[in-house]
């Protein structure tokens, strides 16, 4: 669990969350997201260990309860079965388009010590 300040040079444990909204989207979208996240990790020479990959295909980001892999990831974090410091997504919209996305990120950080970072920001610290 992440404590206090974020230093990307530390060897964090990371869970990846990948999602595409509908069957009309590119079927490889989650694979492309995965590759992009790994590309940025490699480019930045980060020593992060991926502890889990969660993929929801053809699931809208609008509703949390309709995404089984998202729910599995969150239950694992809350129960302690998934030990992670970070949740990595390609873009914030992949985590969800729900109105309280910022609230979800804040609760994850404050209650579970987990930061949500995005590849499109090159994993910039969202707390700064």
């Amino acid at each position: 669990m992440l404590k206090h300040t974020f230093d990307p040079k530390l060897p964090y444990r990371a869970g990846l969350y990948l999602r595409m909204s509908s069957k009309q989207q590119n079927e490889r979208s989650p694979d492309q997201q995965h590759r992009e996240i790994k590309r940025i990790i490699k480019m930045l020479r980060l020593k992060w260990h991926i502890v889990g990959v969660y993929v929801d295909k053809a699931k809208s980001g609008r509703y949390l309860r309709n995404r089984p892999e998202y729910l599995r990831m969150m239950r694992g974090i809350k129960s302690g079965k998934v030990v992670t410091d970070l949740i990595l997504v390609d873009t914030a919209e992949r985590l969800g388009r729900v109105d309280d996305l910022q609230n979800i990120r804040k609760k994850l950080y404050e209650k579970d010590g987990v930061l949500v970072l995005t590849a499109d920001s090159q994993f910039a610290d969202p707390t700064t």
Side-chain angles (χ1 to χ4, degrees):
M1 182 184 297
L2 188 64
K3 302 280 186 191
H4 308 294
T5 58
F6 172 67
D7 179 355
K9 295 175 186 148
L10 294 177
Y12 292 118
R13 296 160 296 195
L16 275 55
Y17 181 70
L18 316 168
R19 181 185 63 80
M20 60 186 243
S21 298
S22 71
K23 291 180 181 178
Q24 286 76 30
Q25 285 187 324
N26 178 355
E27 281 293 323
R28 295 178 48 102
S29 183
D31 293 333
Q32 290 169 339
Q33 294 169 38
H34 194 174
R35 281 195 306 275
E36 180 64 6
I37 290 168
K38 289 178 78 173
R39 185 186 74 78
I40 300 292
I41 289 171
K42 184 177 180 179
M43 180 186 78
L44 297 174
R45 296 188 172 116
L46 301 172
K47 297 175 183 165
W48 298 350
H49 175 69
I50 296 172
V51 296
V53 179
Y54 304 86
V55 182
D56 280 316
K57 292 185 177 183
K59 299 293 182 183
S60 170
R62 190 175 229 178
Y63 305 108
L64 299 174
R65 67 184 176 275
N66 294 334
R67 296 191 273 149
E69 285 295 287
Y70 172 85
L71 293 172
R72 185 170 73 91
M73 175 182 69
M74 296 304 282
R75 279 192 307 268
I77 290 169
K78 301 287 181 201
S79 71
K81 289 182 181 179
V82 174
V83 180
T84 187
D85 305 301
L86 310 171
I87 295 174
L88 306 180
V89 292
D90 185 37
T91 65
E93 292 79 20
R94 294 302 96 203
L95 188 63
R97 297 176 192 255
V98 293
D99 293 333
D100 61 348
L101 182 58
Q102 290 299 343
N103 195 29
I104 292 167
R105 290 176 88 164
K106 183 179 178 184
K107 283 182 182 177
L108 273 166
Y109 181 63
E110 290 176 355
K111 291 185 177 187
D112 303 300
V114 176
L115 279 174
V116 177
L117 303 179
T118 64
D120 67 340
S121 73
Q122 294 194 348
F123 306 121
D125 183 352
T127 65
T128 59

